[in-house]
Amino acid sequence: MKKMTWSDLSPKQRTILLVLTSIQLSLLATALVDLFFRPPEQVNGPRWVWALASFVSFVGPLAYLRFGRKRAE
């Protein structure tokens, strides 16, 4: 099986890949910035674990944004 390169992709595939990459990087940046500026007592669990988890595709940042932050009471 030949390894695909950028030039092998159709314009539509390139656009989809760029959009997904942009979303992934935006989620990662949002999660890491929030984690960095949020006080430790407002984070569920160790901050370093959430920082590492944020690098796991789309799942990590979404998990942090949903479950890693304590809700305001």
Side-chain angles (χ1 to χ4, degrees):
M1 181 176 218
K2 181 182 176 239
K3 186 176 180 180
M4 289 190 73
T5 62
W6 183 257
S7 60
D8 294 333
L9 299 175
S10 70
K12 183 178 179 180
Q13 289 172 320
R14 290 179 188 180
T15 301
I16 291 170
L17 187 59
L18 288 173
V19 168
L20 290 175
T21 301
S22 175
I23 293 169
Q24 166 61 31
L25 291 175
S26 297
L27 284 170
L28 175 63
T30 300
L32 291 177
V33 167
D34 183 83
L35 187 59
F36 181 76
F37 287 108
R38 185 171 294 273
E41 59 274 2
Q42 292 183 5
V43 177
N44 290 322
R47 293 168 68 134
W48 67 270
V49 172
W50 285 115
L52 286 177
S54 293
F55 287 95
V56 178
S57 190
F58 290 93
V59 177
L62 290 174
Y64 167 72
L65 293 171
R66 173 62 180 93
F67 302 110
R69 303 180 300 170
K70 291 186 180 175
R71 303 281 181 230
E73 296 177 17

